[in-house]
């Protein structure tokens, strides 16, 4: 958990405008219920981010979809029934990736307003070792051997380059909007 808070602090340093949305008292997500509904634990860095922040939109482009307290079942349901990913899979357009709950399947945690999707590949068994997988709106797939928070830190510090993203991504001064809904 201490490592996760360090990663959150690194993300806050990379995105200073996000700190205005930090909640002073942790958001009380029912992880037991959410993970039972979902059928898997989630990475601890994402859990820490969820406890500290609402859904965030970065630069009016990237929406990080954290579960809301009281809406755990709907978040789990949306993650299990990712219709876009399922359609891509049925069309043979997911390279070797499969939708969750298949073994090693993808679970979405963010999306862009351009149609890019950000997932975890649920393999290996330890959620804290799940890599980030990005499907660009151009159909390219990329995998990064880091968790969600470390991925965001890398993107906004410009140490991780995501192929197929717009030329202005990330912007020079990314602004963050916190959403309750």
């Amino acid at each position: 958990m201490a490592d996760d808070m360090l990663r959150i602090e690194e993300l806050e340093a990379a995105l200073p405008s996000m700190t205005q949305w930090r909640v002073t008292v942790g958001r009380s997500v029912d992880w037991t219920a959410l993970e039972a509904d979902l059928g898997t634990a989630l990475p601890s860095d994402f859990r820490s981010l969820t406890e500290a922040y609402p859904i965030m939109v970065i630069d009016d482009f990237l929406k990080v979809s954290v579960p809301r307290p009281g809406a755990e079942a709907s978040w789990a349901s949306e993650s299990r029934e990712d219709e876009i990913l399922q359609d891509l899979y049925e069309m043979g357009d997911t390279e070797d990736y499969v939708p969750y709950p298949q073994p090693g399947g993808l679970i979405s945690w963010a999306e862009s307003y351009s149609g890019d999707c950000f997932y975890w590949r649920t393999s290996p068994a330890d959620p804290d070792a799940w890599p980030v997988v990005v499907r660009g709106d151009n159909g390219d797939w990329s995998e990064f051997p880091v968790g969600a928070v470390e991925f965001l830190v890398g993107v906004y510090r410009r140490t991780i380059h995501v192929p197929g993203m717009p030329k202005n991504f990330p912007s020079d001064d990314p602004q963050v909007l916190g959403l309750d809904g």
Side-chain angles (χ1 to χ4, degrees):
M1 194 62 137
D3 282 353
D4 298 327
M5 289 317 294
L6 182 61
R7 287 192 192 104
I8 302 287
E9 288 171 7
E10 288 177 27
L11 183 57
E12 290 169 343
L15 289 169
S17 68
M18 76 183 275
T19 57
Q20 66 186 307
W21 304 106
R22 187 173 193 135
V23 294
T24 51
V25 178
R27 297 170 77 241
S28 53
V29 171
D30 185 341
W31 293 106
T32 304
L34 187 149
E35 293 175 346
D37 283 350
L38 187 56
T40 183
L42 289 171
S44 57
D45 66 330
F46 184 74
R47 289 174 60 146
S48 294
L49 183 65
T50 299
E51 293 289 328
Y53 284 96
I55 294 169
M56 289 185 295
V57 177
I58 305 168
D59 251 5
D60 202 26
F61 177 75
L62 182 67
K63 179 180 175 187
V64 179
S65 299
V66 297
R68 286 190 345 262
E72 294 87 355
S74 73
W75 194 93
S77 170
E78 289 170 18
S79 298
R80 291 183 68 88
E81 297 157 22
D82 187 326
E83 292 177 16
I84 294 170
L85 181 59
Q86 190 63 45
D87 289 348
L88 290 169
Y89 178 68
E90 289 169 8
M91 294 185 309
D93 192 21
T94 56
E95 295 189 356
D96 291 330
Y97 296 109
V98 297
Y100 183 82
Q102 294 186 50
L106 300 181
I107 295 176
S108 174
W109 58 271
E111 62 192 1
S112 82
Y113 290 151
S114 297
D116 310 286
C117 297
F118 299 78
Y119 303 97
W120 292 290
R121 180 172 49 83
T122 59
S123 170
D126 176 6
D128 289 335
W130 290 351
V132 167
V133 174
V134 179
R135 181 188 185 274
D137 70 335
N138 59 2
D140 288 350
W141 291 84
S142 308
E143 186 168 316
F144 302 88
V146 294
V149 172
E150 192 174 340
F151 174 81
L152 291 170
V153 169
V155 164
Y156 288 98
R157 284 192 172 157
R158 292 183 163 86
T159 58
I160 291 178
H161 171 72
V162 184
M165 290 291 127
K167 291 194 180 352
N168 62 347
F169 173 79
S171 76
D172 292 334
D173 182 24
Q175 295 303 302
V176 177
L177 175 65
L179 306 176
D180 265 340

